[in-house]
Amino acid sequence: MDTPWLDRPQLRAWIRLRAVLALLPGVLDAQLRRDAGLTEFEYQVLATLSETPGRTLRMTELSRLSNATLPRLSHVVTRLQGRGLVERCSCPENRRTTNVLLTDDGWEKVRQAAPGHVATVHHHVIDALTGEQLEQLTAIGDALLTRLDPSGTMAATYTRYDGAPEPQAPADG
Amino acid sequence: MDTPWLDRPQLRAWIRLRAVLALLPGVLDAQLRRDAGLTEFEYQVLATLSETPGRTLRMTELSRLSNATLPRLSHVVTRLQGRGLVERCSCPENRRTTNVLLTDDGWEKVRQAAPGHVATVHHHVIDALTGEQLEQLTAIGDALLTRLDPSGTMAATYTRYDGAPEPQAPADG
DNA sequence: CGGGAATGGTTGTCGCGACAAGTTTGCTGT
DNA sequence: ACAGCAAACTTGTCGCGACAACCATTCCCG
């Protein structure tokens, strides 16, 4: 294959994106682990459940909404279950699906963890950008996700807050 | 603290960024692991060395350039050394520093791995964006990194290709 | 209604990364 | 000149995530 190297503008953008990719997850994870004893992914699982009517989701659906593979989610749910934050309850009408339910303790946990996490996101992402840049980032994200998730398997995930009015539930989405 | 929740535009941008954060590393890693038997981070270490005159860097400097902590780099260098791709050579004038040298095998490895990796970056990032979006992404990256790396410890990393003409070395930067 | 195929989850193993010591070398002050 | 501290790495331990293999259930279809 003829290899098209990156020219300067491309390189400049890519280097920055790679740095953000390397640094941001660590920052988010550290804050949550320190203040709430949760992984960013664990938080996302709990938060997603907290935003769902009935606080319940099937494993597959939950894995889509949290950008995770099924094995990964299964392990995490096992751990969260051990801590009493979620429960597995197999649904009767389809016996191969597993429903995950956010317990009251889990709800309380995410309620306590949310402010600090949202503040971190605000400080490290939102407040760093202008309103215009936020829109640009949204468009760029859409473009990238078209390539990263061409089948649109997880498309429902990141379009769920398009249109419609203001949010009401806690967590961050 | 009064918790400022995310409004819709902020939420939309954040959800997309989070999805990219979750998906992109896996894609890059999978391609490199499959085609070259390298982690994205291992590749970055080798590539960084390959772009350096003398193919040698101190551990600390290398860790900065690859957005990694020193322990992490140390472990990875140990592994790469075991595979004969780099060598540790303690420099005589300052005996607490360790220099890392890219071996010929390592050079060959990165030379073989580069095209596939660059192609992946092209397909999943560069080609997905317009030239204007690329510039926007650069600016956004700068803004975010100001918060993620306020001390500017790693600032030299992502400004090293600003200004000046075209690149000549392989790898991707 | 019986035998694949496909769907939905779980479990096991392995390797990497984070964090927290520990170690050696160089610097600094008095 | 020596005490103490900082810099530069290394090492050890632990937990999470990727991947593959596996099991159960349901669908499909002649």
Side-chain angles (χ1 to χ4, degrees), chain B residues 84-112:
Chain B
L85 302 179
V86 303
E87 278 177 12
R88 277 186 168 97
C89 39
S90 49
C91 96
E93 66 225 5
N94 190 343
R95 299 200 323 209
R96 50 180 178 176
T97 74
T98 303
N99 284 333
V100 184
L101 166 69
L102 186 68
T103 66
D104 289 347
D105 279 7
W107 171 268
E108 188 56 26
K109 182 61 139 180
V110 69
R111 214 183 62 77
Q112 291 174 358

mmCIF file of all heavy atoms in Angstrom, chain B residues 84-112:
data_model
loop_
_atom_site.group_PDB
_atom_site.id
_atom_site.type_symbol
_atom_site.label_atom_id
_atom_site.label_comp_id
_atom_site.label_asym_id
_atom_site.label_seq_id
_atom_site.Cartn_x
_atom_site.Cartn_y
_atom_site.Cartn_z
ATOM 1 N N GLY B 84 14.500 -7.333 22.510
ATOM 2 C CA GLY B 84 15.632 -6.872 21.712
ATOM 3 C C GLY B 84 15.333 -5.643 20.865
ATOM 4 O O GLY B 84 16.069 -5.341 19.932
ATOM 5 N N LEU B 85 14.276 -4.925 21.200
ATOM 6 C CA LEU B 85 13.908 -3.769 20.380
ATOM 7 C C LEU B 85 14.540 -2.475 20.889
ATOM 8 O O LEU B 85 14.701 -1.522 20.131
ATOM 9 C CB LEU B 85 12.386 -3.626 20.325
ATOM 10 C CG LEU B 85 11.649 -4.854 19.782
ATOM 11 C CD1 LEU B 85 10.149 -4.630 19.788
ATOM 12 C CD2 LEU B 85 12.129 -5.200 18.384
ATOM 13 N N VAL B 86 14.868 -2.437 22.151
ATOM 14 C CA VAL B 86 15.589 -1.291 22.719
ATOM 15 C C VAL B 86 16.679 -1.820 23.645
ATOM 16 O O VAL B 86 16.709 -3.004 23.988
ATOM 17 C CB VAL B 86 14.658 -0.351 23.519
ATOM 18 C CG1 VAL B 86 13.516 0.148 22.664
ATOM 19 C CG2 VAL B 86 14.146 -1.048 24.760
ATOM 20 N N GLU B 87 17.580 -0.906 24.034
ATOM 21 C CA GLU B 87 18.604 -1.256 25.013
ATOM 22 C C GLU B 87 18.696 -0.160 26.056
ATOM 23 O O GLU B 87 18.542 1.014 25.743
ATOM 24 C CB GLU B 87 19.976 -1.417 24.332
ATOM 25 C CG GLU B 87 20.179 -2.758 23.682
ATOM 26 C CD GLU B 87 21.512 -2.832 22.969
ATOM 27 O OE1 GLU B 87 22.346 -1.926 23.192
ATOM 28 O OE2 GLU B 87 21.718 -3.768 22.190
ATOM 29 N N ARG B 88 18.939 -0.596 27.299
ATOM 30 C CA ARG B 88 19.249 0.369 28.345
ATOM 31 C C ARG B 88 20.765 0.554 28.379
ATOM 32 O O ARG B 88 21.507 -0.423 28.428
ATOM 33 C CB ARG B 88 18.787 -0.149 29.710
ATOM 34 C CG ARG B 88 17.334 0.074 30.054
ATOM 35 C CD ARG B 88 17.117 -0.365 31.496
ATOM 36 N NE ARG B 88 15.822 0.066 32.040
ATOM 37 C CZ ARG B 88 14.750 -0.697 32.072
ATOM 38 N NH1 ARG B 88 14.781 -1.900 31.551
ATOM 39 N NH2 ARG B 88 13.620 -0.239 32.612
ATOM 40 N N CYS B 89 21.210 1.814 28.358
ATOM 41 C CA CYS B 89 22.631 2.051 28.515
ATOM 42 C C CYS B 89 22.821 3.251 29.430
ATOM 43 O O CYS B 89 22.483 4.369 29.080
ATOM 44 C CB CYS B 89 23.296 2.283 27.160
ATOM 45 S SG CYS B 89 22.329 3.247 26.001
ATOM 46 N N SER B 90 23.302 2.978 30.612
ATOM 47 C CA SER B 90 23.487 4.048 31.599
ATOM 48 C C SER B 90 24.597 4.973 31.132
ATOM 49 O O SER B 90 25.668 4.530 30.752
ATOM 50 C CB SER B 90 23.823 3.446 32.963
ATOM 51 O OG SER B 90 24.854 2.498 32.836
ATOM 52 N N CYS B 91 24.304 6.253 31.160
ATOM 53 C CA CYS B 91 25.271 7.213 30.645
ATOM 54 C C CYS B 91 26.290 7.544 31.711
ATOM 55 O O CYS B 91 25.966 7.611 32.894
ATOM 56 C CB CYS B 91 24.555 8.460 30.131
ATOM 57 S SG CYS B 91 24.445 9.821 31.284
ATOM 58 N N PRO B 92 27.531 7.723 31.328
ATOM 59 C CA PRO B 92 28.634 7.837 32.280
ATOM 60 C C PRO B 92 28.626 9.138 33.074
ATOM 61 O O PRO B 92 28.963 9.158 34.252
ATOM 62 C CB PRO B 92 29.876 7.747 31.389
ATOM 63 C CG PRO B 92 29.405 8.192 30.047
ATOM 64 C CD PRO B 92 27.966 7.827 29.950
ATOM 65 N N GLU B 93 28.217 10.245 32.451
ATOM 66 C CA GLU B 93 28.375 11.537 33.124
ATOM 67 C C GLU B 93 27.331 11.788 34.212
ATOM 68 O O GLU B 93 27.502 12.652 35.049
ATOM 69 C CB GLU B 93 28.323 12.674 32.097
ATOM 70 C CG GLU B 93 26.975 12.813 31.432
ATOM 71 C CD GLU B 93 27.088 12.996 29.937
ATOM 72 O OE1 GLU B 93 28.217 12.914 29.416
ATOM 73 O OE2 GLU B 93 26.056 13.204 29.294
ATOM 74 N N ASN B 94 26.256 11.059 34.165
ATOM 75 C CA ASN B 94 25.256 11.198 35.231
ATOM 76 C C ASN B 94 24.698 9.811 35.512
ATOM 77 O O ASN B 94 23.816 9.335 34.803
ATOM 78 C CB ASN B 94 24.156 12.162 34.816
ATOM 79 C CG ASN B 94 23.246 12.508 35.980
ATOM 80 O OD1 ASN B 94 23.238 11.800 36.986
ATOM 81 N ND2 ASN B 94 22.489 13.578 35.849
ATOM 82 N N ARG B 95 25.160 9.224 36.543
ATOM 83 C CA ARG B 95 24.924 7.797 36.717
ATOM 84 C C ARG B 95 23.547 7.441 37.226
ATOM 85 O O ARG B 95 23.244 6.262 37.410
ATOM 86 C CB ARG B 95 25.987 7.214 37.651
ATOM 87 C CG ARG B 95 27.398 7.377 37.098
ATOM 88 C CD ARG B 95 28.352 6.423 37.737
ATOM 89 N NE ARG B 95 28.064 6.229 39.153
ATOM 90 C CZ ARG B 95 29.005 5.918 40.049
ATOM 91 N NH1 ARG B 95 30.259 5.803 39.661
ATOM 92 N NH2 ARG B 95 28.673 5.729 41.300
ATOM 93 N N ARG B 96 22.714 8.440 37.483
ATOM 94 C CA ARG B 96 21.352 8.028 37.862
ATOM 95 C C ARG B 96 20.408 8.057 36.678
ATOM 96 O O ARG B 96 19.290 7.586 36.782
ATOM 97 C CB ARG B 96 20.811 8.887 39.001
ATOM 98 C CG ARG B 96 20.931 10.325 38.797
ATOM 99 C CD ARG B 96 20.380 11.118 39.976
ATOM 100 N NE ARG B 96 20.589 12.531 39.711
ATOM 101 C CZ ARG B 96 20.171 13.508 40.486
ATOM 102 N NH1 ARG B 96 19.528 13.246 41.586
ATOM 103 N NH2 ARG B 96 20.389 14.760 40.169
ATOM 104 N N THR B 97 20.839 8.610 35.581
ATOM 105 C CA THR B 97 19.969 8.590 34.402
ATOM 106 C C THR B 97 20.203 7.320 33.590
ATOM 107 O O THR B 97 21.297 6.771 33.576
ATOM 108 C CB THR B 97 20.232 9.791 33.485
ATOM 109 O OG1 THR B 97 21.460 9.585 32.788
ATOM 110 C CG2 THR B 97 20.305 11.071 34.268
ATOM 111 N N THR B 98 19.139 6.899 32.948
ATOM 112 C CA THR B 98 19.218 5.737 32.075
ATOM 113 C C THR B 98 18.865 6.167 30.665
ATOM 114 O O THR B 98 17.827 6.787 30.446
ATOM 115 C CB THR B 98 18.218 4.657 32.532
ATOM 116 O OG1 THR B 98 18.482 4.304 33.875
ATOM 117 C CG2 THR B 98 18.336 3.427 31.650
ATOM 118 N N ASN B 99 19.720 5.866 29.742
ATOM 119 C CA ASN B 99 19.415 6.160 28.351
ATOM 120 C C ASN B 99 18.806 4.939 27.679
ATOM 121 O O ASN B 99 19.216 3.811 27.937
ATOM 122 C CB ASN B 99 20.677 6.577 27.598
ATOM 123 C CG ASN B 99 21.083 7.990 27.940
ATOM 124 O OD1 ASN B 99 20.246 8.816 28.298
ATOM 125 N ND2 ASN B 99 22.366 8.273 27.855
ATOM 126 N N VAL B 100 17.830 5.207 26.828
ATOM 127 C CA VAL B 100 17.198 4.126 26.086
ATOM 128 C C VAL B 100 17.562 4.281 24.620
ATOM 129 O O VAL B 100 17.405 5.360 24.042
ATOM 130 C CB VAL B 100 15.670 4.148 26.243
ATOM 131 C CG1 VAL B 100 15.034 2.960 25.558
ATOM 132 C CG2 VAL B 100 15.302 4.185 27.709
ATOM 133 N N LEU B 101 18.046 3.197 24.043
ATOM 134 C CA LEU B 101 18.514 3.237 22.660
ATOM 135 C C LEU B 101 17.687 2.285 21.798
ATOM 136 O O LEU B 101 17.465 1.131 22.173
ATOM 137 C CB LEU B 101 19.994 2.821 22.605
ATOM 138 C CG LEU B 101 20.574 2.481 21.234
ATOM 139 C CD1 LEU B 101 20.672 3.724 20.357
ATOM 140 C CD2 LEU B 101 21.933 1.816 21.375
ATOM 141 N N LEU B 102 17.222 2.791 20.685
ATOM 142 C CA LEU B 102 16.489 1.942 19.749
ATOM 143 C C LEU B 102 17.482 1.077 18.970
ATOM 144 O O LEU B 102 18.380 1.588 18.296
ATOM 145 C CB LEU B 102 15.696 2.824 18.773
ATOM 146 C CG LEU B 102 14.760 2.113 17.801
ATOM 147 C CD1 LEU B 102 13.598 1.478 18.531
ATOM 148 C CD2 LEU B 102 14.261 3.090 16.740
ATOM 149 N N THR B 103 17.325 -0.214 19.061
ATOM 150 C CA THR B 103 18.228 -1.117 18.344
ATOM 151 C C THR B 103 17.853 -1.163 16.864
ATOM 152 O O THR B 103 16.826 -0.621 16.451
ATOM 153 C CB THR B 103 18.141 -2.537 18.907
ATOM 154 O OG1 THR B 103 16.839 -3.053 18.625
ATOM 155 C CG2 THR B 103 18.397 -2.545 20.400
ATOM 156 N N ASP B 104 18.684 -1.815 16.077
ATOM 157 C CA ASP B 104 18.371 -1.972 14.656
ATOM 158 C C ASP B 104 17.093 -2.780 14.474
ATOM 159 O O ASP B 104 16.263 -2.483 13.609
ATOM 160 C CB ASP B 104 19.540 -2.647 13.933
ATOM 161 C CG ASP B 104 20.743 -1.703 13.815
ATOM 162 O OD1 ASP B 104 20.574 -0.497 14.070
ATOM 163 O OD2 ASP B 104 21.842 -2.169 13.472
ATOM 164 N N ASP B 105 16.951 -3.818 15.294
ATOM 165 C CA ASP B 105 15.711 -4.597 15.251
ATOM 166 C C ASP B 105 14.507 -3.717 15.575
ATOM 167 O O ASP B 105 13.456 -3.824 14.943
ATOM 168 C CB ASP B 105 15.786 -5.754 16.257
ATOM 169 C CG ASP B 105 16.576 -6.930 15.698
ATOM 170 O OD1 ASP B 105 17.158 -6.780 14.605
ATOM 171 O OD2 ASP B 105 16.607 -7.990 16.345
ATOM 172 N N GLY B 106 14.678 -2.848 16.557
ATOM 173 C CA GLY B 106 13.595 -1.950 16.934
ATOM 174 C C GLY B 106 13.258 -0.994 15.805
ATOM 175 O O GLY B 106 12.088 -0.738 15.500
ATOM 176 N N TRP B 107 14.283 -0.471 15.178
ATOM 177 C CA TRP B 107 14.094 0.422 14.032
ATOM 178 C C TRP B 107 13.329 -0.294 12.919
ATOM 179 O O TRP B 107 12.370 0.231 12.345
ATOM 180 C CB TRP B 107 15.449 0.910 13.527
ATOM 181 C CG TRP B 107 15.365 1.659 12.234
ATOM 182 C CD1 TRP B 107 15.491 1.133 10.973
ATOM 183 C CD2 TRP B 107 15.099 3.056 12.061
ATOM 184 N NE1 TRP B 107 15.337 2.116 10.037
ATOM 185 C CE2 TRP B 107 15.094 3.308 10.664
ATOM 186 C CE3 TRP B 107 14.874 4.111 12.933
ATOM 187 C CZ2 TRP B 107 14.872 4.581 10.143
ATOM 188 C CZ3 TRP B 107 14.650 5.378 12.409
ATOM 189 C CH2 TRP B 107 14.653 5.602 11.035
ATOM 190 N N GLU B 108 13.747 -1.502 12.662
ATOM 191 C CA GLU B 108 13.089 -2.278 11.607
ATOM 192 C C GLU B 108 11.620 -2.536 11.978
ATOM 193 O O GLU B 108 10.724 -2.437 11.134
ATOM 194 C CB GLU B 108 13.823 -3.610 11.426
ATOM 195 C CG GLU B 108 13.356 -4.417 10.233
ATOM 196 C CD GLU B 108 13.455 -3.634 8.927
ATOM 197 O OE1 GLU B 108 14.308 -2.708 8.826
ATOM 198 O OE2 GLU B 108 12.663 -3.911 8.016
ATOM 199 N N LYS B 109 11.413 -2.835 13.248
ATOM 200 C CA LYS B 109 10.061 -3.107 13.733
ATOM 201 C C LYS B 109 9.148 -1.912 13.507
ATOM 202 O O LYS B 109 8.044 -2.041 12.966
ATOM 203 C CB LYS B 109 10.134 -3.444 15.221
ATOM 204 C CG LYS B 109 8.794 -3.793 15.845
ATOM 205 C CD LYS B 109 8.193 -5.000 15.181
ATOM 206 C CE LYS B 109 7.559 -5.954 16.167
ATOM 207 N NZ LYS B 109 6.978 -7.116 15.500
ATOM 208 N N VAL B 110 9.601 -0.736 13.907
ATOM 209 C CA VAL B 110 8.760 0.451 13.780
ATOM 210 C C VAL B 110 8.579 0.812 12.306
ATOM 211 O O VAL B 110 7.527 1.296 11.895
ATOM 212 C CB VAL B 110 9.341 1.626 14.585
ATOM 213 C CG1 VAL B 110 10.614 2.143 13.985
ATOM 214 C CG2 VAL B 110 8.321 2.743 14.718
ATOM 215 N N ARG B 111 9.587 0.523 11.520
ATOM 216 C CA ARG B 111 9.497 0.792 10.093
ATOM 217 C C ARG B 111 8.412 -0.075 9.440
ATOM 218 O O ARG B 111 7.686 0.372 8.553
ATOM 219 C CB ARG B 111 10.852 0.502 9.428
ATOM 220 C CG ARG B 111 11.224 1.404 8.265
ATOM 221 C CD ARG B 111 12.544 0.962 7.663
ATOM 222 N NE ARG B 111 12.474 -0.395 7.125
ATOM 223 C CZ ARG B 111 11.898 -0.694 5.965
ATOM 224 N NH1 ARG B 111 11.357 0.259 5.241
ATOM 225 N NH2 ARG B 111 11.863 -1.935 5.542
ATOM 226 N N GLN B 112 8.332 -1.323 9.910
ATOM 227 C CA GLN B 112 7.313 -2.216 9.368
ATOM 228 C C GLN B 112 5.922 -1.878 9.894
ATOM 229 O O GLN B 112 4.933 -2.048 9.188
ATOM 230 C CB GLN B 112 7.649 -3.671 9.739
ATOM 231 C CG GLN B 112 8.870 -4.222 9.025
ATOM 232 C CD GLN B 112 9.252 -5.604 9.526
ATOM 233 O OE1 GLN B 112 8.613 -6.131 10.442
ATOM 234 N NE2 GLN B 112 10.293 -6.176 8.945
#
